[in-house]
Amino acid sequence: MFFTYLRRELRRRRKAALVVASGLALGIALVIVVNSVSNGMGRAQEKVLQSLYGLGTDMTVTKAAAPASGDAQRPRFRFEAKDSGSKDDQSSDRVMAQGFTTLPASTVTEVAGQKGVSSAVGGLSLNVVKVSGQFTRGQFQQGGGGAEMRGNPGSGPQGRVEGGGADFDVNHYTVYGTDVSRPELGPLTSSEITSGRTFRATETDAEVAVADSAYAEEKKLKVGSTVTIKGVKYQVIGIATASSGDAAANLYIPLKQAQTLSGEKDKVTTVYVKATDSQQIGAVKSAIRKNVPGTTVTTSADLAKTVSGSLSTAADLAAGVGTWLSVAVLVAAFLVAGLLTSSAVSRRVREFGTLKALGWKSGRVTRQVVGEAVVNGLVGGALGIALGLAGAYAVTAVSPTLQAQLGGSVGGAGGPGGGGVFLGGPGRQAAKSLEVALTAPVSATTIVLAVGLAVAGGLIAGAFGGWRASRLRPADALRRVE
């Protein structure tokens, strides 16, 4: 009887039911789109942050920033004089620890021993400045009788030097020394080996390198090529492509080799940390700061605060304006649904009065009204989910490009010359721009939320109408003239 009456009433009042369902559908669709875009913003931000220090890393530990010491941080180059030929080819490499700040390798063990730390691995970030070129000797030209010839008598041949000079090229690139025995953490994990192979655990001190794909294309490197760093030739064994489109370093070499090149024996610039529980990252950070003095601990949440640009602006809009707009539309939809249901009850006074006179209890009348409202809500939910999925698909299909700028004061010391700020990972300086494509993934949680909202909307609307229907008395209802 309940379902028969329900079906008949919904069919008889399908226009009013469609209006209620459409209002709820609009609010639910907006919630799905906003929620999906917010998820896409989160994924885009995670993609940007992964390029800083790799997948699976919860935090980084670097040496606490110290005041710059002036000349100590200024690269110096020396060239030996040669006495053969008219052209002297010269080159000099300066290999410096990034930010000029390092930690003892024993810090890795200290950090790994802290409560809540699952694993920790050290890495050495280097900046290499290579100056190469040639000096060209000038040619002495004897004069004939001009002013140049009129010098002091007996001073020897008179003349002048013509030509000569210097032509030098400065090449700057970054190198990251990775602990090849612990490949699960560090910046290289955010890149995919697209050619060749990665390091083997036995290559702890081997003269091998993995090149970033963009750098390899620029320098025309491929698997089997060699690169020379400070006179040492390294064979390229693999080409890595960064998932974020921007690599952490141009070249990756074993940690021991990086320490030897830079003269930083048993030193690291960064410790990459993975916590046993993502919910305990704050507690782990506090423990490291307390028990490992002289260090700066940076988490992904700290780095997220430094992301600016259109990605940050869009995220703020989705989280702020979008959320409040969704709430406002939902509230309006619920109110409209409730008022329309209540109005429908007012038009059915004689009907409900007759049913009560026939023996229907107030509770049965209320359940009938609530049932109709819940069905309207479910229909609205189905329409809303369809519209929301279509909107999310449209955003993903268009994939608007957002720009993210990485900058801020977290993560440690300045870069070469003391000017840049590095964000807990190699090769990252202030105001580093990245581009990411926005998607709008719809999660199962979002669908469950939409269904919940649809049921809630129906219940709220039914509560309005059911309350009105339960107050009707048969005698009063039958005296009403419509």
Side-chain angles (χ1 to χ4, degrees), residues 243-325:
S243 58
S244 65
D246 189 53
N250 300 130
L251 295 172
Y252 303 87
I253 62 176
L255 177 58
K256 285 189 177 180
Q257 284 289 320
Q259 291 170 336
T260 301
L261 285 176
S262 60
E264 302 286 357
K265 185 179 180 181
D266 295 328
K267 300 286 186 180
V268 296
T269 51
T270 313
V271 181
Y272 303 90
V273 184
K274 182 177 182 179
T276 54
D277 185 356
S278 61
Q279 303 299 320
Q280 300 298 320
I281 290 178
V284 174
K285 176 180 178 179
S286 299
I288 295 175
R289 293 179 62 181
K290 178 182 178 181
N291 301 323
V292 188
T295 59
T296 297
V297 185
T298 308
T299 67
S300 58
D302 298 326
L303 293 174
K305 297 175 183 176
T306 71
V307 178
S308 59
S310 59
L311 174 60
S312 177
T313 302
D316 291 341
L317 286 173
V321 178
T323 300
W324 282 110
L325 180 60

Side-chain angles (χ1 to χ4, degrees), residues 162-349:
E162 292 184 351
D167 182 16
F168 280 81
D169 176 61
V170 179
N171 180 27
H172 171 266
Y173 57 97
T174 56
V175 176
Y176 174 69
T178 181
D179 188 343
V180 298
S181 64
R182 304 287 300 279
E184 70 275 8
L185 289 178
L188 188 55
T189 60
S190 64
S191 297
E192 179 185 359
I193 302 296
T194 52
S195 179
R197 63 176 178 85
T198 188
F199 299 104
R200 297 191 178 103
T202 56
E203 295 175 325
T204 55
D205 200 18
E207 294 175 355
V208 291
V210 172
D212 170 60
S213 57
Y215 184 75
E217 183 179 358
E218 177 188 348
K219 300 299 181 182
K220 295 180 172 56
L221 299 175
K222 59 183 180 180
V223 176
S225 301
T226 58
V227 291
T228 303
I229 307 173
K230 205 175 182 179
V232 181
K233 291 186 177 181
Y234 292 87
Q235 182 181 13
V236 177
I237 60 172
I239 305 296
T241 301
S243 58
S244 65
D246 189 53
N250 300 130
L251 295 172
Y252 303 87
I253 62 176
L255 177 58
K256 285 189 177 180
Q257 284 289 320
Q259 291 170 336
T260 301
L261 285 176
S262 60
E264 302 286 357
K265 185 179 180 181
D266 295 328
K267 300 286 186 180
V268 296
T269 51
T270 313
V271 181
Y272 303 90
V273 184
K274 182 177 182 179
T276 54
D277 185 356
S278 61
Q279 303 299 320
Q280 300 298 320
I281 290 178
V284 174
K285 176 180 178 179
S286 299
I288 295 175
R289 293 179 62 181
K290 178 182 178 181
N291 301 323
V292 188
T295 59
T296 297
V297 185
T298 308
T299 67
S300 58
D302 298 326
L303 293 174
K305 297 175 183 176
T306 71
V307 178
S308 59
S310 59
L311 174 60
S312 177
T313 302
D316 291 341
L317 286 173
V321 178
T323 300
W324 282 110
L325 180 60
S326 300
V327 171
V329 172
L330 274 176
V331 170
F334 287 174
L335 288 176
V336 169
L339 291 174
L340 288 176
T341 304
S342 179
S343 175
V345 170
S346 297
R347 292 194 297 271
R348 298 166 65 186
V349 169

Side-chain angles (χ1 to χ4, degrees), residues 140-165:
F140 180 78
Q141 302 290 335
Q142 289 187 345
E148 294 85 353
M149 293 291 293
R150 291 194 292 273
N152 296 325
S155 60
Q158 303 293 318
R160 61 187 178 190
V161 177
E162 292 184 351

